[in-house]
Amino acid sequence: MQNPRNVPDDALRAAREHLIRRGLRDGTQLAEIVSPDIEHSWRRSIGVEASARPEAFLFVNDFDPDGILIRAAKSVMDHWLQSLSGMGISLFLSDQSGQIIARRLGDKAHGNRFDEAYAAEGFNFSERSVGTNGLGTPIEGRQAVFVRGAEHFNEALSPLACAGAPIMHPVTRRVIGSISFACDTGLDNPLMLAMSREASSQIERRLLDLGSATGLALGMSQLRLSSSRAPVIMLDAQAVMTNISGLAVMSSELHTTLWEQLRGLEWTGAKQTIEIPSLNVDATVQRIDDSGGSSAFALELSRIPDAASIPRKVDADLPGTDSSGVGAAFPHVIRTAFDRAGQGPGAIAVCGQGGSGKLHHTLAWLNGQDSGPGPLILDACLLPEEKDASWFQAAREAIADGRSVILRHLEDLPRSELNRLKALDAAVRQQPEHPPAGQDRAAPSPARLVLTMNPEACPDFVSDVVSQIAARVTVPTLSETKERIPVLAAHFLDAAAPADRSTLSAVALQGLMRWRWPGNVAELRATLESLGRAHPGRVLQANDLPEHFRNTGRRTLSKLESLERDAIVAALEQSGGNRSVAAEALGMGRTTLYRRLRALGIETPEFMAP
């Protein structure tokens, strides 16, 4: 069946190319050629410079296979597929970005054909990317549309006819995805448009049912716990409810960190007690399972957190902060360890892995202790170059003037400097502990000697001396204190582009929270500042993160998937890395192979042929 105006595909292509060449200000009327919906979509596509080239289809593959939209659509799509059996019509579901997140093939033999048109899970069909199509256009236009043949903006889709409708959130009426019925251009039927509208309504009703189940469970928990004066928080992956006391502590960052913490718990009973380090409180947690199979949690905090412990926006000018932003995320446990170590008169050894923020935590603590001159910072790895030991004289003079000294990278201290290190410790111990009687009690505190070191890299002769003269403070790795990540990330993004600051989406923040951070805070800083400079003023999505962040939550493969993975790896090896040849040997389309490579976590070298 041809388009309603019986315009040949060649004439449609000519009209579209004419519009592209002449630009949006061209006054050519297309009413005799295409419907107003298609013309408006063409013009939108041109305005955002969508591509008509087949290679414009991006394989994103960034979605939750157990997400609520997929769960709501599953039974609807299965029902329509059974009803349309034998008609050659397939169904496609997209999320709000236009990414295909599910499909049902009406004819298995057509699978390769759809794959060649990139109509498979994980590919981006947004109108901004590939122009007019049956998934992206309903999202942009917020209404159902039928796109036939060459009415598609991208030539890869011209063999298809697609009728699609937007899916609205049942409460907010915000577009959260789309559903499309697609077939070969010779098989399309005008009823497909009505079918897409009906399928969309069915999915919206199913969404309301699923949402009501979770909302009811959360609401019931709130009623049971509402007599508590302490904060009560109910949350699932997408939503949060809280009482009045909980409003002061709740934020999108806390939601993300709590969800990551709770989803990893091993449940042995109905309730558990957990620690929330970012708030310095304990909480009693109860798990709630909804009818859709996902979980929600109800938390009752042990007390109302102190205002000082509630995460806040980083302000680099506040006392106790520094240019790294680490001071603004100064964990209570580290501050307590510094205070305890600082009760004695001798040196303090700050121990931790490289990049964990030892210097920055030290600066934050010293700044909070004394408003006097900044400390003298020396690096042990440079001391062999100081033949005249001028560093030692400078350090003694600083201590005599009441100025603290920080000696970094103590693991690189030459053996010849050990006696001078002991002498500096003696110098700080000889200072008066308190100002003499009659003097201002607000006078600066005595100078401190702080040594930063990586114990794993320290030679025995250094470790032995440190154990004799210094009280230790251990700085945990970033992977051990991931609750700091939201505050640190906000600061590093702000530092990268202060005038046009980027922010993190919830999914992107989850990607950061799940990474193991072998380079600690230094790695986080380099990552966020690079992203902030590359994407100023944007809400960073999971796709913007480096590849290794997007694979951290990969699930365990089933036995069947493991067998499939082994077969694909063997085919790639036998083809010498040629993915087209491997796909043919496996009996699947090349696009399907790309999709399975990503889904099964198969890493392929850059030199492999496409």
Side-chain angles (χ1 to χ4, degrees):
M1 178 179 177
Q2 209 172 40
N3 61 77
R5 288 165 173 73
N6 295 317
V7 179
D9 279 354
D10 289 344
L12 289 170
R13 292 187 180 94
R16 189 181 68 232
E17 291 301 318
H18 173 82
L19 192 61
I20 293 174
R21 287 195 308 271
R22 298 294 298 273
L24 295 177
R25 294 186 178 182
D26 179 61
T28 302
Q29 298 297 315
L30 301 179
E32 299 300 321
I33 301 176
V34 294
S35 68
D37 292 340
I38 299 298
E39 179 180 352
H40 293 159
S41 177
W42 280 2
R43 292 183 180 275
R44 286 197 304 265
S45 302
I46 295 170
V48 297
E49 299 182 351
S51 176
R53 297 177 289 106
E55 57 268 28
F57 288 86
L58 299 178
F59 186 60
V60 180
N61 198 36
D62 181 24
F63 63 91
D64 180 1
D66 296 320
I68 190 169
L69 180 57
I70 294 178
R71 288 192 283 123
K74 182 181 184 301
S75 60
V76 175
M77 296 177 73
D78 290 343
H79 171 76
W80 279 101
L81 183 67
Q82 184 178 7
S83 300
L84 298 172
S85 177
M87 297 181 63
I89 298 176
S90 298
L91 291 88
F92 296 85
L93 178 73
S94 85
D95 60 17
Q96 61 186 359
S97 72
Q99 175 188 198
I100 296 178
I101 58 176
R103 73 174 183 177
R104 299 289 188 276
L105 297 177
D107 187 337
K108 299 299 183 183
H110 289 169
N112 286 350
R113 186 171 306 176
F114 282 115
D115 284 350
E116 291 301 321
Y118 302 92
E121 285 100 336
F123 281 92
N124 179 15
F125 269 62
S126 67
E127 191 180 77
R128 289 178 167 270
S129 178
V130 296
T132 307
N133 70 86
L135 286 169
T137 296
I139 293 174
E140 290 293 330
R142 295 178 60 87
Q143 62 181 6
V145 66
F146 210 144
V147 187
R148 301 172 174 86
E151 290 179 344
H152 288 95
F153 196 80
N154 193 293
E155 277 300 309
L157 302 178
S158 60
L160 304 176
C162 309
I167 301 171
M168 309 286 193
H169 188 282
V171 177
T172 66
R173 303 311 295 166
R174 178 173 56 87
V175 177
I176 59 172
S178 63
I179 182 77
S180 178
F181 291 74
C183 62
D184 293 340
T185 52
L187 299 176
D188 57 309
N189 188 304
L191 291 177
M192 289 168 60
L193 190 62
M195 290 156 51
S196 69
R197 290 193 182 101
E198 178 59 25
S200 172
S201 297
Q202 292 171 348
I203 294 172
E204 290 174 7
R205 289 195 292 271
R206 179 64 180 147
L207 280 168
L208 189 60
D209 293 339
L210 291 178
S212 295
T214 301
L216 179 61
L218 290 173
M220 289 176 64
S221 296
Q222 188 178 33
L223 287 175
R224 286 197 295 269
L225 297 172
S226 60
S227 60
S228 174
R229 293 185 179 181
V232 176
I233 300 169
M234 280 67 60
L235 61 90
D236 61 13
Q238 304 293 329
V240 176
M241 295 175 64
T242 181
N243 61 3
I244 295 297
S245 299
L247 287 177
V249 303
M250 203 61 227
S251 65
S252 59
E253 291 83 4
L254 181 60
H255 172 248
T256 299
T257 55
L258 281 177
W259 177 251
E260 289 301 312
Q261 182 178 2
L262 295 172
R263 67 194 291 269
L265 289 178
E266 294 184 5
W267 289 85
T268 57
K271 294 183 179 181
Q272 285 198 42
T273 299
I274 65 168
E275 180 185 358
I276 305 177
S278 61
L279 299 178
N280 191 30
V281 298
D282 294 333
T284 301
V285 186
Q286 179 179 350
R287 185 176 61 176
I288 308 161
D289 291 317
D290 72 11
S291 59
S294 65
S295 292
F297 302 93
L299 300 89
E300 182 176 6
L301 276 58
S302 59
R303 59 180 176 82
I304 299 176
D306 298 331
S309 67
I310 298 175
R312 55 179 172 79
K313 183 181 182 298
V314 174
D315 186 343
D317 295 328
L318 288 176
T321 67
D322 56 82
S323 60
S324 74
V326 177
F330 199 19
H332 178 77
V333 64
I334 299 179
R335 182 186 294 109
T336 301
F338 267 98
D339 290 342
R340 185 179 299 114
Q343 290 175 359
I348 299 173
V350 183
C351 306
Q353 292 183 3
S356 57
K358 298 183 291 295
L359 173 64
H360 302 304
H361 285 307
T362 298
L363 290 172
W365 182 72
L366 289 176
N367 288 341
Q369 298 294 305
D370 188 0
S371 59
L376 172 66
I377 302 176
L378 301 169
D379 198 321
C381 68
L382 302 178
L383 298 190
E385 300 176 4
E386 302 287 347
K387 302 298 184 182
D388 58 357
S390 60
W391 73 271
F392 176 65
Q393 185 61 32
R396 291 197 61 165
E397 291 176 357
I399 292 171
D401 293 337
R403 185 182 179 193
S404 295
V405 175
I406 301 174
L407 182 56
R408 303 182 64 196
H409 302 129
L410 200 67
E411 60 271 16
D412 296 324
L413 185 74
R415 186 186 292 268
S416 61
E417 305 301 312
L418 288 178
N419 287 335
R420 293 192 175 100
L421 176 61
K422 294 178 182 179
L424 289 180
D425 175 63
V428 297
R429 290 176 184 270
Q430 292 168 4
Q431 299 176 102
E433 187 173 350
H434 300 286
Q439 289 193 13
D440 183 6
R441 290 287 177 178
S445 302
R448 306 307 307 242
L449 174 61
V450 183
L451 316 170
T452 72
M453 56 187 282
N454 182 351
E456 298 175 0
C458 265
D460 290 341
F461 66 81
V462 171
S463 297
D464 290 344
V465 171
V466 169
S467 65
Q468 297 169 18
I469 68 173
R472 293 201 177 207
V473 173
T474 298
V475 175
T477 63
L478 184 59
S479 63
E480 294 171 328
T481 54
K482 289 187 175 181
E483 66 277 1
R484 292 190 288 157
I485 290 177
V487 177
L488 291 172
H491 177 79
F492 294 149
L493 287 173
D494 190 45
D500 203 5
R501 177 175 175 261
S502 300
T503 56
L504 288 165
S505 69
V507 177
L509 183 56
Q510 288 175 358
L512 298 183
M513 297 288 291
R514 294 173 187 176
W515 180 238
R516 61 184 184 275
W517 297 109
N520 288 296
V521 176
E523 181 186 0
L524 176 67
R525 178 177 187 171
T527 299
L528 270 297
E529 290 187 352
S530 175
L531 287 172
R533 289 190 294 267
H535 308 290
R538 273 188 47 193
V539 177
L540 299 173
Q541 305 296 330
N543 293 335
D544 297 316
L545 299 178
E547 179 67 24
H548 55 277
F549 290 97
R550 304 201 292 269
N551 292 331
T552 55
R554 191 175 301 283
R555 58 187 173 80
T556 303
L557 300 181
S558 66
K559 289 186 177 180
L560 183 60
E561 289 173 323
S562 296
L563 291 173
E564 180 185 6
R565 188 183 192 281
D566 293 342
I568 291 175
V569 170
L572 286 169
E573 291 176 350
Q574 293 171 6
S575 67
N578 189 308
R579 285 174 282 192
S580 296
V581 173
E584 184 176 354
L586 291 165
M588 64 175 64
R590 187 181 62 200
T591 305
T592 299
L593 176 60
Y594 291 162
R595 177 164 50 88
R596 299 310 295 161
L597 288 174
R598 177 68 69 87
L600 298 173
I602 301 173
E603 301 294 337
T604 56
E606 293 294 331
F607 58 79
M608 278 192 174

